[in-house]
Amino acid sequence: MKLANLDGRATIVVTGAGASDGGMAGLDVASASGGRFGPDPQAVLQDWQAFSAWAEDLDLMNAEPIAQASLGNPVGTPRQVFAIGLNYKAHAAETGSTLPATPATFTKYPSSLAGPFDEIVIDVETADWEVELVVVIGTQADHVSEAEAWDHIAGFTVGQDISDRVLQRSGGAQFSLGKSRRGYGPMGPVLVTLDEFEDPADLSISCVLDAETVQDSRTNDLVFDIPNLLAHLSSVLTLQPGDVIFTGTPSGVGVARDPRRFLKPGQVLESTIEGIGTMRNVLIAGPGS
Ligand code: ZN
């Protein structure tokens, strides 16, 4: 199943034949369920087991064409947003860092999240790109083992962990604030359940800036894989339905290049993961510039 946020309402989407504007059609969850689920995307995630069982038998023949550009963040506003640093070997190497012994965890504050086709204001000189696979929690996870981890996941989406490299390192290190400027966490275009992937642990992941591929890797290169991340995090605290985990970025970020490169207003940032889709965010100047 593919789940989207269409104008703030949870919407099951189908892609392919018969759908216009990027080949997408959708069925409003609240209407189709007679009000039992939704419309808030987070409300759907809070009742994930019942919802996914209901959605399994759903007839999508009545899905109506939708405009991809009106899609929002498919997860809405999660209570907890986890992000993992240095989780691809080649990325750790390019930044001159040694691999951490346990997942290097920080948060992106929920107010930094944005939609998959939103414009993003770039009003600092040191904003960098980081395409990431985002895990969405479907059922509460408390002290789960690696073997149990997959059962707690609702699905995957694409994320960008846009990072202000100066703020990230100011005052020692404050990753959470440096990665939480307004709009620095676009997610989407859809949430895809695990049954849709041939191998959910091995997906191509790429980032394209103004038609130039700047990141191109596979998620099987994760240092701490997804079961490991859920086991680790849930040994410390309880993961709640609707929470998200940005699982780390592959190599190719701007700060590690010679010369260093950063995002500029006017550029187009495209972020793609196999089986999920592509986000396309246009970068714009701030109101003061
Ligand atoms: Zn990151």
Side-chain angles (χ1 to χ4, degrees):
M1 172 181 38
K2 294 187 170 77
L3 192 61
N5 171 349
L6 183 63
D7 297 322
R9 299 177 66 90
T11 304
I12 295 174
V13 299
V14 286
T15 50
S20 63
D21 193 10
M24 196 175 273
L27 198 62
D28 185 82
V29 167
S31 304
S33 68
R36 184 172 166 210
F37 302 107
D40 180 351
Q42 269 289 318
V44 168
L45 286 158
Q46 299 307 314
D47 200 6
W48 182 253
Q49 277 179 314
F51 168 74
S52 46
W54 168 80
E56 223 164 68
D57 302 321
L58 197 60
D59 179 4
L60 292 166
M61 286 300 287
N62 294 326
E64 290 177 9
I66 56 177
Q68 278 208 71
S70 23
L71 296 182
N73 168 358
V75 177
T77 305
R79 276 178 288 191
Q80 304 189 94
V81 180
F82 302 92
I84 311 298
L86 304 174
N87 205 22
Y88 285 80
K89 287 189 195 106
H91 173 60
E94 74 177 350
T95 59
S97 310
T98 48
L99 285 180
T102 57
T105 311
F106 56 93
T107 189
K108 290 175 83 72
Y109 297 107
S111 61
S112 69
L113 301 180
F117 303 102
D118 285 358
E119 293 179 331
I120 298 172
V121 171
I122 300 296
D123 55 3
V124 297
E125 307 269 305
T126 50
D128 201 350
W129 57 86
E130 291 194 357
V131 66
E132 306 200 4
L133 175 73
V134 176
V135 172
V136 182
I137 300 298
T139 56
Q140 184 172 302
D142 201 359
H143 292 284
V144 300
S145 67
E146 292 189 30
E148 298 163 329
W150 291 110
D151 296 337
H152 293 272
I153 295 173
F156 292 161
T157 191
V158 185
Q160 263 286 344
D161 176 21
I162 300 178
S163 307
D164 177 350
R165 298 303 186 191
V166 167
L167 184 55
Q168 178 183 342
R169 297 287 177 187
S170 66
Q174 38 188 339
F175 277 45
S176 299
L177 198 60
K179 289 158 174 278
S180 293
R181 286 192 183 276
R182 292 172 188 82
Y184 275 27
M187 290 170 55
V190 292
L191 185 166
V192 180
T193 52
L194 300 182
D195 57 292
E196 300 250 345
F197 301 98
E198 196 174 312
D199 181 359
D202 182 20
L203 306 171
S204 68
I205 176 168
S206 63
C207 176
V208 172
L209 184 63
D210 277 350
E212 175 195 352
T213 299
V214 289
Q215 293 184 283
D216 188 10
S217 186
R218 299 194 69 85
T219 59
N220 65 358
D221 281 336
L222 284 174
V223 176
F224 298 103
D225 65 14
I226 289 162
N228 193 304
L229 292 177
L230 263 73
H232 173 70
L233 291 171
S234 75
S235 75
V236 178
L237 43 70
T238 302
L239 301 174
Q240 302 285 356
D243 286 354
V244 300
I245 306 168
F246 282 66
T247 55
T249 200
S251 62
V253 298
V255 74
R257 290 165 183 263
D258 184 15
R260 293 178 166 202
R261 288 172 56 182
F262 296 106
L263 297 169
K264 295 189 188 74
Q267 291 179 322
V268 178
L269 183 63
E270 292 176 295
S271 315
T272 301
I273 295 177
E274 176 185 5
I276 304 173
T278 298
M279 301 197 295
R280 186 178 189 277
N281 296 101
V282 174
L283 311 181
I284 60 169
S289 48

